[in-house]
């Protein structure tokens, strides 16, 4: 079994032996963006979100987190975070190998697997698609990773 040691002396499995649930690093020399959003209050009035950019050794390159005091669906917050993260990547002159989220709804919308029935979400989805084309090396897309 191959492992990669992180700066904090934790280990992660590499592609050859990792089960589906663990984080997989991008190929050597590349970057990976991960996103998450979650409802923090029982009434849905506060949503937390975050963006993490890591290199092929698991080193943290960038992190952005936010708390939104609004009744937004986590998918909408996640799409907004994807836009924010991709804009930062582009402004920083980076390119990413892959973009991952645990929000299957966002992935299906961006990848065109389901029709989008909300105009507001449609604008967000189109923005994500444009930014993915600019920020992702070799046209790598938007992927779902179970949480």
């Amino acid at each position: 079994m191959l492992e990669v040691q992180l700066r904090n002396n934790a280990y992660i499995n590499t592609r050859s032996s990792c089960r589906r649930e663990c984080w997989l690093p991008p190929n050597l020399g590349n970057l990976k963006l991960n996103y998450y959003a979650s409802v923090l209050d029982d009434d849905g009035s506060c949503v937390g979100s975050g963006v993490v950019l890591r290199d092929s050794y698991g080193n943290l390159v960038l992190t952005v987190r936010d708390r939104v005091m609004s009744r937004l669906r986590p998918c909408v917050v996640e799409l907004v975070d994807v836009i924010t993260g991709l804009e930062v990547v582009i402004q920083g002159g980076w390119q990413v190998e892959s973009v991952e989220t645990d929000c299957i709804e966002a992935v299906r919308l961006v990848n065109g697997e389901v029709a989008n029935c909300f105009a507001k979400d449609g604008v967000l989805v189109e923005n994500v698609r444009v930014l993915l084309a600019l920020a992702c090396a070799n046209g790598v897309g938007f992927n779902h990773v179970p949480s």
Side-chain angles (χ1 to χ4, degrees):
M1 174 167 66
L2 299 173
E3 294 182 321
V4 176
Q5 186 174 10
L6 305 179
R7 271 195 290 193
N8 62 1
N9 291 323
Y11 287 87
I12 55 172
N13 295 325
T14 61
R15 290 173 179 14
S16 63
S17 63
C18 187
R19 293 186 347 208
R20 189 175 184 117
E21 299 88 39
C22 77
W23 182 84
L24 294 173
N27 291 316
L28 189 62
N30 291 311
L31 300 171
K32 180 186 279 190
L33 273 171
N34 292 91
Y35 298 89
Y36 62 90
S38 62
V39 177
L40 302 175
D41 291 335
D42 289 339
D43 67 356
S45 64
C46 183
V47 179
S49 62
V51 177
V52 178
L53 179 65
R54 292 187 182 272
D55 67 14
S56 53
Y57 296 102
N59 294 321
L60 186 65
V61 175
L62 169 78
T63 184
V64 178
R65 55 185 194 147
D66 196 11
R67 182 176 285 190
V68 180
M69 301 304 287
S70 179
R71 291 183 190 268
L72 296 173
R73 293 182 301 119
C75 179
V76 171
V77 175
E78 194 122 3
L79 289 169
V80 170
D81 278 349
V82 171
I83 292 167
T84 301
L86 290 171
E87 286 174 342
V88 170
V89 164
I90 292 165
Q91 290 171 4
W94 296 305
Q95 281 206 317
V96 294
E97 176 182 292
S98 63
V99 178
E100 296 180 343
T101 178
D102 64 352
C103 183
I104 189 70
E105 181 184 3
V107 171
R108 287 182 174 157
L109 288 169
V110 170
N111 291 337
E113 297 171 19
V114 294
N116 185 4
C117 60
F118 300 109
K120 179 174 67 172
D121 293 2
V123 170
L124 295 174
V125 168
E126 283 306 311
N127 285 343
V128 169
R129 289 176 181 160
V130 168
L131 293 170
L132 281 171
L134 295 171
C136 291
N138 302 320
V140 173
F142 195 50
N143 305 303
H144 176 253
V145 176
S147 57

